[in-house]
Amino acid sequence: MSKRMMNIGASIRGLGYNASAWRHPEVDPAVQESISFYIELAQKAEAAKLDFVFLADNLAATSMSDSPKGALGRGHDNVTLEPLTALAAVAVSTKRIGLVATCSTSYQQPFHVARQFASLDHISGGRSAWNVVPSYRQTEGANFGLAEPLSHNERYERADEFVTVVKGLWGSWDRDAFVYDKKSGIFFDPGKVRALNHRGKYFEVVGPLTASHSPQGSPAIFQAGESGAGIELAGKFADAVYTVPLDKDASIKQRKLVRQAAARHGRSEHSVKVIPGIQPIVATTRKEVDEKFELLRSIADPVKEMGRLIVQFKDITKFDLDDVLPVSFIDSCTTSSARPIAEKAVAHRWTVRRLCQEMAIGQQRIVAGTPEEVAADLADWFSVGACDGFNVSPSHLPGGLFEFIDQVIPILQDRGLFRPEYAGRTLRENLNAS
Ligand SMILES: Cc1cc2nc3c(=O)[nH]c(=O)nc-3n(C[C@H](O)[C@H](O)[C@H](O)COP(=O)(O)O)c2cc1C
């Protein structure tokens, strides 16, 4: 059996994962809707043989609150390129790297989504993946005529039916359905296409899809959501799960739960990869690491951050910046991943300001150190079964990604923990090769 290797991707949305990345001295704030910027990042990631580039997404501007007073106008995260459109352009400027686009199941129609990802799979030669998210923000619902977002239960019930329909539509055409027989006049074999005729609680879709069997057949499925329902969805459908565990033990536990869920759905537990986000801070000496950290702390903007965090912690604006967070704050969390953060904040008697500063630096696990220290940390998580790889979510772009690629990837390759060359042609082949 070949040696187990990491799956590593790069999350390249916007200007980086520091909530004030645009204020970083090396960042050009004007490039976040520049396709040449995304292409440059993807080409660099491809040269390092990364599995994929990943685009997160929201369906509402994220920093439009003026609470607390003065927060409005400070956020860089209100505009971005739409992921599928951007990745279609990236596809034609790259050859091997996977292209993961986030797309919500809460407001769109499965026919559109099935068609878009099948098209991206055709355009890229089998490199497309859909990151399935059941959107939860009130501001997003408001863009689709909903005063209140769907309940957690409904979101996941709808997501399950949504993915079922999408996968069904992807199966509309057999790979060899198109015969193009000019002599007989037969363009396709009628026995090799089927309607879906789906009638469910949320959707009615006849089919077939207006896209033929794509290179991967089924584009890869990513999932991000940490509740029991999220894990069940992952176990049923996902090839990879993007997580944000705060520590190694939590990640080991989460990976076990995802693998058990896959087994419950009759799948091999190896068929789903658990890929936590990390924010690397890499420098050649410890002193430089501390300086970089300090810089990232110094650009954080607590006032702006408070306005942004309201979607995860709905009570946050009820406090002043210097109030110590009370125990009741924990129950104001709107997502499963926010809860352990609130618990930590309350346990450490953090003020609102401190929570805002910590959250602004990044919500992924920070791995800071020299290249050898960072590589050793990742190797440790991987070897104890805390994960199958990492989604690198840099503090700022392009610098935070390029430093990781130039300094850490070669060490992982030297240690036989990361591929020196792509194993397969499609994203799915590369994900499963290790
Ligand atoms: C690591 C991670 C990344 C996520 N990325 C997105 C995203 O890009 N867009 C989005 O609308 N929701 C995103 N979500 C939200 C989830 O899809 C889900 O709606 C939310 O976590 C609530 O579900 P849960 O209680 O199962 O965690 C993300 C969640 C996690 C944990």
Side-chain angles (χ1 to χ4, degrees), residues 54-59 102 104 131-137 140 152 155-156 223-231 242-244 334-337 364:
F54 180 100
L55 289 184
D57 197 36
N58 295 306
L59 295 170
T102 296
S104 172
N131 180 37
V132 176
V133 294
S135 312
Y136 62 93
R137 294 176 172 85
E140 298 181 293
H152 195 273
R155 291 200 302 268
Y156 273 107
Q223 185 271 352
E226 306 195 317
S227 59
I231 288 171
Y242 173 25
T243 61
V244 279
T334 58
T335 67
S336 314
S337 45
Q364 319 275 335

Side-chain angles (χ1 to χ4, degrees), residues 81-354:
L81 290 179
E82 188 285 311
L84 278 147
T85 318
L87 291 179
V90 171
V92 296
S93 300
T94 52
K95 289 193 165 56
R96 307 299 293 274
I97 193 156
L99 309 166
V100 188
T102 296
C103 189
S104 172
T105 52
S106 296
Y107 311 110
Q108 331 225 32
Q109 285 291 321
F111 191 91
H112 287 133
V113 171
R115 187 176 185 215
Q116 287 167 319
F117 280 94
S119 292
L120 184 62
D121 212 46
H122 279 295
I123 293 168
S124 63
R127 296 184 282 134
S128 82
W130 171 26
N131 180 37
V132 176
V133 294
S135 312
Y136 62 93
R137 294 176 172 85
Q138 188 275 331
T139 47
E140 298 181 293
N143 286 335
F144 299 91
L146 287 182
E148 285 297 321
L150 301 174
S151 71
H152 195 273
N153 236 356
E154 282 176 306
R155 291 200 302 268
Y156 273 107
E157 196 181 52
R158 186 182 154 104
D160 183 291
E161 189 182 332
F162 198 119
V163 182
T164 303
V165 173
V166 168
K167 285 184 78 85
L169 287 169
W170 283 337
S172 296
W173 300 87
D174 288 350
R175 196 180 284 282
D176 57 353
F178 291 87
V179 292
Y180 313 121
D181 188 341
K182 290 189 178 178
K183 210 163 162 205
S184 65
I186 298 296
F187 194 79
F188 67 88
D189 178 344
K192 294 190 172 175
V193 59
R194 58 206 63 84
L196 186 64
N197 291 319
H198 173 87
R199 290 175 83 87
K201 178 168 176 189
Y202 294 94
F203 307 107
E204 290 190 9
V205 183
V206 173
L209 191 63
T210 53
S212 67
H213 195 283
S214 74
Q216 290 185 106
S218 264
I221 304 261
F222 279 52
Q223 185 271 352
E226 306 195 317
S227 59
I231 288 171
E232 216 45 44
L233 187 75
K236 192 166 173 185
F237 297 114
D239 299 290
V241 183
Y242 173 25
T243 61
V244 279
L246 289 186
D247 62 52
K248 196 164 62 181
D249 289 341
S251 196
I252 291 172
K253 195 169 151 211
Q254 198 170 356
R255 181 165 175 263
K256 271 196 190 130
L257 290 174
V258 169
R259 288 159 74 97
Q260 285 165 358
R264 269 199 301 285
H265 289 281
R267 303 171 61 208
S268 149
E269 58 178 27
H270 303 291
S271 60
V272 50
K273 309 286 179 173
V274 174
I275 304 185
I278 52 157
Q279 190 188 121
I281 301 177
V282 191
T284 40
T285 63
R286 263 276 147 196
K287 185 168 169 287
E288 269 179 61
V289 172
D290 291 343
E291 284 164 5
K292 284 190 171 177
F293 217 95
E294 209 32 59
L295 173 61
L296 294 173
R297 224 182 263 285
S298 73
I299 59 176
D301 181 340
V303 176
K304 178 241 151 180
E305 194 58 9
M306 202 166 168
R308 194 177 74 109
L309 289 181
I310 197 168
V311 295
Q312 281 163 294
F313 307 100
K314 69 177 163 31
D315 284 352
I316 197 163
T317 51
K318 293 185 182 155
F319 304 99
D320 288 331
L321 274 172
D322 292 312
D323 286 349
V324 173
L325 290 162
V327 177
S328 61
F329 180 68
I330 296 169
D331 288 327
S332 84
C333 296
T334 58
T335 67
S336 314
S337 45
R339 204 174 165 90
I341 300 167
E343 285 169 353
K344 182 176 171 188
V346 169
H348 287 81
R349 295 191 48 75
W350 282 358
T351 59
V352 173
R353 183 186 303 278
R354 176 73 193 275

